[in-house]
Amino acid sequence: MTRLCTLLDAEAVAERAAREITQHLERAREERGVAHLALSGGSTPERTHELLAKTVKDWQGIEVWFADERCVGPEHPESNYLMVHKTLLEHISVPPPRVHRMEGELGPEAGAERYAQALREHVAPGEVSAPASDAGRGPEIGRGPELPILDVVVLGIGPDGHVASLFPGAPTLDAGAEAVCLGVHNSPKPPPERITLSMAVLRAARHVLLPATGAGKRDAIQGALGEATHQVPASLLRRERLTIVINDEASPPASSATRQNADCKNL
Ligand code: 6PG
């Protein structure tokens, strides 16, 4: 069941997302001594990143990763690293978190391979079994290869339902259950060349937070909650590990749901 929280406005969405991310990070650190957080690019996650600099009081033991990156250098205006640095990293007091930058300047394949190595080296693996209810929604992850298990992944969503740099109908969605990080060419969202975490790694993460605002995302959110299809990559995420935080404008038509509390419900 996906948890869908509908709030009044974009600021409330960012506040709720930052609070939930903080809670998951602190719990992960308590349980395992380390918390691995992956962040996305795009405009929607920016405010959440800014608020995270305030809600996380102590970054000791938290490691920052990236869900995707454009194949540009870290100083390039299109760089997700640059955006995360401006919205979060430069506002964090010492000790700074350990930051693992995706080296977009290496290009799609070389950059993806380097990042996969870093994830395998620094993030504890685990065998991820998809519950029966989740069958068919993504790479069948059972007693297959071990994957790095991130604690929290923050995803934006495109109007077409893409997440990270996994786009509708893209060959990256056919990558096997052992795929960790992938090169992207011909991205429909510029720039064309990117690096992205695989859907298998996104599905293996313990928690996925997906903030979305504005009427332009309504259809994508509807698709994310609907049948699993490669035409809406967000629909392939693990439902029981996904929290979608939206404002009223991005809210799909009323759906049957069990109301969990004032603004969140399980779908
Ligand atoms: C990227 C992002 C991408 C983004 C969505 C939403 O590198 O472009 O990772 O997945 O999060 O496209 O972007 P907006 O919030 O700007 O609509």
Side-chain angles (χ1 to χ4, degrees):
M1 302 269 272
T2 297
R3 189 157 157 268
L4 177 68
C5 300
T6 306
L7 299 163
L8 190 60
D9 55 28
E11 183 66 11
V13 166
E15 286 169 354
R16 170 61 67 88
R19 197 161 67 238
E20 302 235 349
I21 294 162
T22 301
Q23 289 166 358
H24 289 314
L25 291 174
E26 289 173 350
R27 192 173 308 124
R29 184 172 51 194
E30 280 162 26
E31 290 174 1
R32 289 176 292 279
V34 65
H36 293 286
L37 166 67
L39 299 173
S40 286
S43 55
T44 308
E46 287 184 17
R47 184 59 181 146
T48 298
H49 298 167
E50 289 170 348
L51 293 175
L52 269 181
K54 301 185 176 83
T55 53
V56 176
K57 304 302 182 197
D58 170 11
W59 286 85
Q60 187 77 34
I62 296 176
E63 303 205 10
V64 176
W65 299 83
F66 288 79
D68 70 340
E69 183 57 280
R70 294 80 179 277
C71 285
V72 295
E75 309 292 334
H76 191 285
E78 293 262 31
S79 161
N80 288 345
Y81 170 81
L82 182 63
M83 182 272 276
V84 169
H85 194 272
K86 284 182 176 173
T87 56
L88 174 62
L89 301 178
E90 65 187 31
H91 304 286
I92 294 174
S93 56
V94 291
R98 185 163 184 183
V99 181
H100 303 269
R101 184 174 70 83
M102 266 184 184
E103 295 166 279
E105 64 275 19
L106 297 179
E109 278 65 34
E113 184 45 44
R114 274 279 279 263
Y115 211 65
Q117 286 170 348
L119 281 162
R120 291 190 187 102
E121 186 180 330
H122 296 283
V123 182
E127 283 194 348
V128 187
S129 57
S133 62
D134 213 16
R137 284 208 176 104
E140 289 320 304
I141 304 166
R143 306 201 60 74
E146 293 196 330
L147 292 167
I149 309 291
L150 295 164
D151 292 293
V152 187
V153 178
V154 182
L155 293 174
I157 186 169
D160 60 0
H162 78 255
V163 288
S165 288
L166 297 166
F167 293 94
T172 47
L173 293 172
D174 296 320
E178 73 290 343
V180 173
C181 203
L182 299 162
V184 174
H185 298 267
N186 310 315
S187 161
K189 178 179 181 182
E193 294 200 331
R194 293 158 167 255
I195 301 166
T196 186
L197 294 184
S198 66
M199 182 54 75
V201 166
L202 297 184
R203 287 172 54 82
R206 292 188 174 89
H207 303 282
V208 175
L209 259 296
L210 196 161
T213 59
K217 301 295 174 74
R218 188 179 300 150
D219 289 348
I221 295 298
Q222 177 104 15
L225 297 169
E227 275 310 300
T229 167
H230 281 204
Q231 294 314 308
V232 183
S235 70
L236 302 174
L237 295 168
R238 288 259 321 245
R239 304 288 171 108
E240 75 282 4
R241 300 187 179 190
L242 174 60
T243 297
I244 297 177
V245 188
I246 58 175
N247 65 349
D248 287 332
E249 287 175 355
S251 178
S255 54
S256 60
T258 53
R259 188 159 286 279
Q260 189 183 32
N261 57 40
D263 46 32
C264 294
K265 52 189 173 186
N266 291 323
L267 296 178

